[in-house]
Amino acid sequence: MKNIAVIGAGTMGNGIAHTFAQSGFSVKLIDISEDSLKRGMDTIARNLDRMVAKEKISESDKAITLGNIKTFTNTEEGVKNADLIVEAATENLNLKLKIFKQLSDICSNDTILATNTSSISITQIAAVTSRPENVIGMHFMNPVPIMKLVEIIRGYNTSDEVTSTIMELSKTLGKVPTEVNDYPGFVANRILMPMINESIETLYNGVAGVEEIDTVMKLGMAHPMGPLQLADFIGLDVCLSILNVMYDGFKNPKYAPCPLLVNMVMAGKLGVKSGAGFYDYSESRKAEKVSKQFVK
């Protein structure tokens, strides 16, 4: 298994492509937008430059890694001869179903189809394909080149052979694969998102401010960053989407997203990606608190 296709050149997609390419795989990075592909490749190059500066890799290693990646806007051309396809598109069920239906129609029956979804049912995604036994979840953590964990999620019909293959493949990337079952949010987000949501509720109810909440969790619980800063880093729209998937899946009110989170997403305050969330990421006010206009 040496030929990898990655669908989606955003934060997760370019990170996954980077990781496979640095491990010696031939990678085809696919996106419908040339601009997205350029931004993705620019991000990979910058991240490799940081690794060179820290003397973790050489300039030659960087050149080889970039040389292992080719970009495509045509999905059928990009996935041709792929042994493994990792879908890393937006966390949207209908989009993922459309992609997997297309992949099922155009790919070899031997191709393993993986999704980087952080919450959506693998079984549901696999059901639109003609080979559900070959569909599996590979939930990488952000930033992909650095974070060791990969949640491996097998759907109801995922074969033992495919699961074993992906577990071993993840190890060749220097990752620590952890197999979990196919329930909304899996393990990582089933635990993380309620904590983030409760942190937002704490802010919404006026118990403490943004910096105070994050300080308590960083200094009191030894978290590397506070939950509100982490939410900004993940993307508030992504957090909302995951919470909605879990709320719909479990019908349990503890997963209902806080009204403050809903309002901030509707207002376009999505975190780092939009320049402001719980903190201000504009050039003049990097990572300062935003105004309290949304707080109860």
Side-chain angles (χ1 to χ4, degrees), residues 159-193:
S159 72
D160 291 341
E161 180 183 0
V162 165
T163 302
S164 176
T165 297
I166 295 303
M167 292 286 284
E168 292 304 313
L169 177 67
S170 299
K171 292 175 185 177
T172 70
L173 300 174
K175 303 300 184 185
V176 178
T178 303
E179 184 180 341
V180 306
N181 291 322
D182 187 20
Y183 291 96
F186 315 132
V187 171
N189 282 317
R190 184 169 178 172
I191 295 170
L192 174 63
M193 285 302 151

Side-chain angles (χ1 to χ4, degrees), residues 221-236:
M221 313 303 166
H223 289 195
M225 69 171 66
L228 298 176
Q229 184 182 6
L230 178 58
D232 277 353
F233 183 67
I234 294 169
L236 302 192

Side-chain angles (χ1 to χ4, degrees), residues 236-270:
L236 302 192
D237 53 336
V238 176
C239 293
L240 178 60
S241 174
I242 295 169
L243 284 164
N244 280 331
V245 166
M246 293 196 294
Y247 182 59
D248 291 342
F250 292 116
K251 301 296 188 290
N252 189 323
K254 75 177 180 180
Y255 299 114
C258 175
L260 173 58
L261 175 62
V262 175
N263 281 345
M264 290 181 72
V265 171
M266 286 194 297
K269 304 293 186 181
L270 308 181

Side-chain angles (χ1 to χ4, degrees), residues 71-91:
T71 61
F72 295 82
T73 53
N74 183 294
T75 300
E76 186 168 358
E77 184 180 358
V79 301
K80 186 177 181 181
N81 300 321
D83 301 307
L84 167 68
I85 301 170
V86 182
E87 170 272 317
T90 304
E91 192 74 349

